Amino acid sequence: MQYGYFDDNSREYVITRPDTPYPWINYLGSEDFYGLFSNTSGGYCFYRDARMLRLTRYRYNNVPTDAGGRYFYLRDDGDVWTPSWMPMKSKLDRYECRHGMGYSRIFSSRNGLEFYQVSFVPLRDNCEIHKITLKNESKIDKYIDMFSFIEFCLWNANDDMTNFQRNFSIGEVEVEGSRIYHKTEYRERRNHYAVWAVNVPVAGFDTDRQTFLGLYNGFDHPDTVFKGESNNSIASGWAPIGSHHIKARLAPGESQTYVFVLGYCENHENEKWERSGTINKKPANTLLEKYGSPDAADRALAALNEYWKNLLGRFTVDAEDKKMARMAGVWNQYQCMVTFNMSRSASYFESGIGRGMGFRDSNQDLLGFVHLVPERARARILDIAATQFPDGSAYHQYQPLTKRGNNEVGSGFNDDPLWLICGVAAYIKETGDYGILDEKVPFDNNEALADTLFIHLKRSFDYTVTHTGPHGLPLIGRADWNDCLNLNCFSKTPGESFQTTANFESGIAESVLIAAIFAFTGPDYAEICRRTGRNDEAQYAEKSIAAMIEAINNHGWDGRWFLRAYDAHGKKIGSRECEDGKIFIESNGFAVMAGIGTNDGRAQLALDSVKEHLDTKYGIVLLQPAYKDYHIELGEVSSYPPGYKENAGIFCHNNPWVTIAETKLGRGNRAFETYTKICPAYREDDSDLRRMEPYVYAQMVAGKDAVRHGEAKNSWLTGTAAWTFVSISQYILGVRPVFDGLMIDPCIPSTMRGFSVTRRFRGADYHISVDNSAGVEKGIKSIMIDGNPLDGEALKKLTLPAFGDGKVHKIDVVMG
Ligand code: BGC
Ligand code: NOJ
């Protein structure tokens, strides 16, 4: 069943009932300040780092789920209700939540009282704005009490939920009129505070949670609201909150609008205080003056809309298949921007305290947003590269605030270095900016070790070349793309993290996947060398790639599919010889993406085997048969119950590798089938089973061995976003940036009679329409550029030049 629908004109997903199968969230914010916002106004916000600078408190794994957010309680002639449904689960006459690009709206009504909320983070300012309108649609005067409610987090979210012996004594606030300031720890080493304000005079306020709610009450029964009067409590220790009490008298037809602002403010070290004990409110005053009226809030929202319109205008899709068009043109790209902003830090599955920016993740995420924000992608590349070790290996993660490698998570994931080449190649293909290669970039954040970005790429490449095992395949290290294939860990201690435990480098365990990644991304490195006049290096690179392909051919093929790895005893993984884990998705997808076996039938055989053994109704599972028992020599992969996560879950991230591989073979029907199976829009009416938001990809869908086969988890922050965007935009629709220009090479289902794409590329706009009345899956008969045929070499390469002239070019493509 469906819980809403896509409104394509407004680029919103409209949720029509509040009790969705899981909280369906949105992200507010585009630069430094972010909020997570669910369809019932749940969630929290933070400044730059979800762990260190969290403004509002949120309890993961809470009962009921998603309790806590920005709540507004209404009291209408004694009738108390919450218009966002939660936390009171109020019966509503009408309810609608619209998640849009960087904003969300909630509309509801009860007994003739209408409530409109629009919530967003304005461009360039560090605050959430919640514009609330109350409207009396009844025939009588209404006397309304509205109470706002947020709960402050004492900044460090990890400490906030663990260190109670201290934290129950440190909470501090100040209140001035309608402005509530949260200033815990400001007296000592912090120079920032939060402000929660409304632009009208209030009848009262509360800042102490127990006083507002009552000690034994939940958010669904605040004593203060039922009583109808605030207590003007000033928090001292315990749990500081912010609540305003607004009284409104609304005649029939009358409405009132309020602007609530929740902001982060910072002062210089020597300007912290207005006078002893009183914080300097200048930054708050500036912020609140700016957003002090409904008009100002509307203007800020309009600017935000404009920002998104421009951004998504860089790649648009029109096709008969609206599900594909809206996903590829809007929501998939939106999700890519969210992964750019969040990496893997804060979602309803990532608590915001655990994971920094992944070296591998961030490079792959880049594939999905480089066309949207090329300048920011450039900066991101330099940040990532600066954490690389001098030998080419990498910290697996770095901290977003310090941009330094995270020692706690360590290193030794031997696929990491290659993703830097992959990311940089994507950036250069998009922008033509070879200049980035000359940027001086530190190693291990040490300026003294700085060298050019090109040298970083070389170290990445060489790391793989010099770290091979007995079969000439790359050593896996702690793990490769599959974090859970821990072939050198041999962990027996309960609870020990496989990601960080000691890694006994065997010098034996090898990864066919890393070999395939090398074969896929290595040629880009060679090409970059050639195009920058480094011919000797290019030759060396090509030789190394050839040797790697040879190693795959000799030791990475199992007869009907590609092997996955060799363990620390030299035993095969992902082979028909194995009892469980006979076949894995990753090495098969990637080897074929790299073109291995495409001219001797093995590629086809491998993908057919993937279909035969791994395919399900909801996507391709990671391996089969699922591991039934824990294997100490395999690590975390075998720790999961069968069908979940890396143990035979549908790990969506690598499904698009198979999609792309299928396009390599020209099998457009099958490519599209693998694309649609994990695409959320195609499962919208199956929401009771899938449970996650129909507008975003999830990291995992439970596999066929799982009890809950088809149920998704970990929506939003996943490499699936970037890779599915690459698969649909570059390989199915076939509009692909290459070093020479923009390649047009669609591989679509034979039933798709055409489509059109607009694409901004290196400073020009390409309006591309593709005619497939021939009903083929692949192949191009002709390409016209502004009415002139493309011919010769360019037609052979199917590549449009980079016009770079700021103009619109009309491209007509006929398949056949
Ligand atoms: C999960 C992986 C994840 C890793 C990150 C593992 O437990 O299964 O999917 O990448 O943790 O730390
Ligand atoms: C999630 C991680 O973020 C990603 O880097 C990894 O490749 C997958 N898990 C598979 O283990």
Side-chain angles (χ1 to χ4, degrees):
M1 114 164 207
Q2 288 191 205
Y3 288 77
Y5 60 92
F6 288 91
D7 181 342
D8 292 325
N9 286 332
S10 60
R11 291 177 168 151
E12 290 171 326
Y13 191 82
V14 188
I15 300 167
T16 47
R17 45 184 290 181
D19 56 341
T20 45
Y22 205 69
W24 285 0
I25 72 166
N26 193 13
Y27 284 84
L28 317 179
S30 34
E31 262 155 85
D32 290 327
F33 192 96
Y34 296 102
L36 281 69
F37 189 94
S38 75
N39 60 309
T40 59
S41 205
Y44 61 95
C45 59
F46 60 90
Y47 174 67
R48 292 185 64 195
D49 185 318
R51 172 171 179 167
M52 303 309 287
L53 293 170
R54 198 178 293 196
L55 274 81
T56 53
R57 186 172 279 162
Y58 190 76
R59 295 171 186 80
Y60 282 85
N61 207 358
N62 201 4
V63 278
T65 197
D66 198 28
R70 314 80 175 153
Y71 289 146
F72 299 93
Y73 296 87
L74 296 173
R75 191 168 183 277
D76 172 6
D77 194 21
D79 175 37
V80 175
W81 57 289
T82 40
S84 54
W85 189 62
M86 283 290 272
M88 292 181 67
K89 297 210 258 178
S90 306
K91 194 185 160 311
L92 303 171
D93 297 334
R94 288 169 67 192
Y95 162 90
E96 187 178 274
C97 168
R98 290 178 170 258
H99 286 318
M101 305 287 110
Y103 68 87
S104 292
R105 297 174 190 279
I106 290 178
F107 163 68
S108 67
S109 74
R110 168 151 147 160
N111 288 338
L113 178 60
E114 291 191 340
F115 170 91
Y116 302 81
Q117 170 177 1
V118 54
S119 299
F120 63 100
V121 171
L123 296 170
R124 284 176 294 278
D125 276 311
N126 298 320
C127 64
E128 277 186 358
I129 294 178
H130 305 275
K131 194 184 90 170
I132 306 293
T133 300
L134 299 178
K135 185 163 189 220
N136 182 0
E137 280 292 342
S138 77
K139 300 211 157 51
I140 51 165
D141 283 3
K142 278 187 183 282
Y143 296 86
I144 309 295
D145 296 288
M146 176 163 74
F147 295 83
S148 74
F149 175 83
I150 57 159
E151 184 178 8
F152 293 109
C153 177
L154 308 188
W155 301 112
N156 178 333
N158 193 40
D159 194 71
D160 182 69
M161 58 177 145
T162 45
N163 192 9
F164 306 111
Q165 60 81 25
R166 169 180 164 87
N167 292 343
F168 285 171
S169 292
I170 63 173
E172 288 190 293
V173 298
E174 267 178 47
V175 181
E176 229 179 62
S178 310
R179 300 175 179 186
I180 295 170
Y181 299 89
H182 174 231
K183 59 169 188 178
T184 300
E185 288 187 344
Y186 190 80
R187 62 170 54 249
E188 30 124 350
R189 291 154 297 170
R190 293 191 185 277
N191 64 339
H192 46 259
Y193 56 81
V195 61
W196 174 228
V198 58
N199 69 328
V200 295
V202 293
F205 64 86
D206 272 295
T207 66
D208 177 60
R209 190 182 72 205
Q210 181 175 333
T211 310
F212 179 76
L213 291 177
L215 182 57
Y216 292 102
N217 291 350
F219 298 133
D220 61 339
H221 198 97
D223 282 345
T224 303
V225 179
F226 281 87
K227 190 174 72 177
E229 213 169 325
S230 291
N231 316 284
N232 300 346
S233 59
I234 295 289
S236 173
W238 297 111
I241 59 149
S243 171
H244 306 95
H245 176 191
I246 293 173
K247 283 185 171 296
R249 176 177 167 239
L250 296 175
E254 195 185 345
S255 67
Q256 277 288 351
T257 297
Y258 312 96
V259 184
F260 288 85
V261 175
L262 174 57
Y264 169 90
C265 303
E266 231 172 60
N267 276 319
H268 287 296
E269 202 48 47
N270 46 3
E271 292 174 354
K272 277 176 67 169
W273 305 101
E274 200 172 288
R275 53 180 190 276
S276 169
T278 304
I279 59 177
N280 175 0
K281 308 202 173 62
K282 254 194 221 144
N285 292 340
T286 313
L287 181 71
L288 298 175
E289 263 157 42
K290 186 162 172 190
Y291 299 113
S293 69
D295 280 351
D298 289 344
R299 279 195 302 275
L301 183 59
L304 183 68
N305 290 339
E306 204 44 39
Y307 165 84
W308 277 106
K309 201 174 130 201
N310 279 331
L311 218 53
L312 296 177
R314 289 171 160 259
F315 181 88
T316 68
V317 185
D318 197 13
E320 224 170 83
D321 185 336
K322 293 297 168 217
K323 294 178 182 164
M324 184 274 286
R326 65 168 70 108
M327 285 307 299
V330 180
W331 293 95
N332 194 173
Q333 296 183 78
Y334 183 60
Q335 186 177 357
C336 286
M337 280 307 290
V338 172
T339 62
F340 167 69
N341 291 327
M342 294 291 120
S343 188
R344 302 294 172 273
S345 70
S347 72
Y348 271 25
F349 296 86
E350 301 281 8
S351 62
I353 59 179
R355 298 176 67 187
M357 314 277 295
F359 193 93
R360 169 203 302 141
D361 292 334
S362 299
N363 276 304
Q364 287 177 78
D365 290 350
L366 200 127
L367 306 177
F369 62 72
V370 62
H371 68 296
L372 295 172
V373 285
E375 316 73 30
R376 294 174 82 187
R378 188 181 207 273
R380 176 64 57 83
I381 286 173
L382 301 178
D383 284 351
I384 301 170
T387 67
Q388 190 177 25
F389 290 114
D391 72 350
S393 64
Y395 287 105
H396 197 45
Q397 272 180 22
Y398 69 98
Q399 289 309 120
L401 277 187
T402 61
K403 298 189 177 167
R404 288 180 172 273
N406 183 354
N407 246 329
E408 283 168 39
V409 178
S411 58
F413 295 79
N414 278 354
D415 63 315
D416 272 338
L418 291 176
W419 296 114
L420 182 65
I421 299 180
C422 186
V424 172
Y427 170 79
I428 295 179
K429 288 176 189 173
E430 179 67 39
T431 60
D433 170 20
Y434 290 89
I436 193 173
L437 298 169
D438 303 326
E439 292 283 347
K440 281 262 193 223
V441 188
F443 280 100
D444 198 6
N445 294 105
N446 183 345
E447 283 293 344
L449 301 176
D451 213 323
T452 61
L453 182 66
F454 176 78
I455 292 298
H456 282 259
L457 298 191
K458 173 157 176 55
R459 302 270 173 87
S460 284
F461 190 86
D462 287 348
Y463 186 85
T464 310
V465 175
T466 54
H467 289 72
T468 52
H471 301 97
L473 296 164
L475 291 172
I476 198 167
R478 177 178 293 287
D480 59 23
W481 172 89
N482 188 332
D483 286 317
C484 300
L485 207 52
N486 315 118
L487 305 185
N488 294 309
C489 286
F490 295 92
S491 173
K492 10 179 192 227
T493 310
E496 180 172 76
S497 162
F498 291 93
Q499 318 287 309
T500 55
T501 180
N503 188 45
F504 310 99
E505 184 48 72
S506 59
I508 292 184
E510 298 169 296
S511 163
V512 177
L513 174 61
I514 301 183
I517 299 174
F518 187 79
F520 175 79
T521 204
D524 281 342
Y525 174 70
E527 192 66 30
I528 287 171
C529 293
R530 230 178 256 301
R531 283 166 189 263
T532 53
R534 297 168 167 104
N535 287 324
D536 292 350
E537 181 69 11
Q539 266 179 19
Y540 147 78
E542 278 153 3
K543 264 211 208 122
S544 313
I545 297 161
M548 190 66 82
I549 293 175
E550 175 101 0
I552 298 178
N553 288 337
N554 293 336
H555 304 290
W557 177 250
D558 194 54
R560 301 190 69 82
W561 55 78
F562 291 94
L563 279 178
R564 180 60 178 83
Y566 288 91
D567 72 15
H569 308 296
K571 264 183 64 189
K572 291 175 183 168
I573 298 175
S575 159
R576 62 193 160 180
E577 293 167 19
C578 306
E579 191 189 320
D580 290 328
K582 288 178 192 291
I583 173 171
F584 281 63
I585 186 174
E586 306 105 301
S587 45
N588 288 293
F590 237 100
V592 179
M593 270 167 73
I596 300 173
T598 43
N599 46 23
D600 57 20
R602 281 179 306 150
Q604 183 154 343
L605 201 53
L607 295 188
D608 289 346
S609 299
V610 164
K611 184 167 163 57
E612 183 184 338
H613 299 284
L614 304 180
D615 204 19
T616 77
K617 190 172 163 201
Y618 304 114
I620 303 164
V621 299
L622 194 142
L623 60 87
Q624 276 295 293
Y627 292 105
K628 293 185 276 296
D629 311 302
Y630 177 57
H631 291 255
I632 192 168
E633 77 287 6
L634 301 179
E636 187 168 3
V637 67
S638 61
S639 76
Y640 284 111
Y644 291 109
K645 295 283 281 184
E646 283 86 343
N647 189 15
I650 298 159
F651 216 93
C652 299
H653 185 145
N654 44 38
N655 275 240
W657 298 348
V658 173
T659 305
I660 297 170
E662 290 289 355
T663 67
K664 286 264 170 185
L665 302 185
R667 304 200 292 194
N669 290 330
R670 174 66 183 150
F672 200 68
E673 184 190 338
T674 59
Y675 167 76
T676 54
K677 277 186 176 172
I678 63 156
C679 184
Y682 293 86
R683 289 195 59 196
E684 196 184 8
D685 54 9
D686 185 22
S687 286
D688 284 312
L689 177 58
R690 188 177 182 273
R691 297 188 69 193
M692 294 298 116
E693 299 91 336
Y695 42 91
V696 286
Y697 287 90
Q699 182 208 52
M700 185 212 55
V701 174
K704 57 187 174 187
D705 304 283
V707 174
R708 297 171 173 271
H709 181 37
E711 182 187 71
K713 287 193 187 109
N714 297 18
S715 54
W716 286 99
L717 305 184
T718 160
T720 313
W723 276 109
T724 48
F725 184 69
V726 170
S727 74
I728 184 70
S729 66
Q730 299 191 21
Y731 290 90
I732 292 179
L733 302 178
V735 180
R736 187 181 327 149
V738 292
F739 290 111
D740 281 328
L742 196 59
M743 188 172 179
I744 309 288
D745 186 19
C747 182
I748 56 178
S750 42
T751 49
M752 191 186 281
R753 289 304 146 115
F755 63 88
S756 53
V757 160
T758 69
R759 177 70 155 87
R760 174 143 328 142
F761 178 70
R762 297 192 206 168
D765 285 305
Y766 297 68
H767 287 195
I768 304 161
S769 61
V770 175
D771 172 349
N772 186 32
S773 28
V776 297
E777 291 175 83
K778 194 170 170 132
I780 292 221
K781 210 147 85 188
S782 67
I783 298 181
M784 306 284 279
I785 305 180
D786 298 320
N788 307 310
L790 186 74
D791 43 30
E793 224 11 59
L795 182 62
K796 256 198 238 144
K797 288 189 172 162
L798 301 177
T799 300
L800 310 171
F803 297 109
D805 56 5
K807 294 194 180 134
V808 175
H809 297 276
K810 200 170 157 327
I811 315 294
D812 292 292
V813 181
V814 180
M815 293 181 70

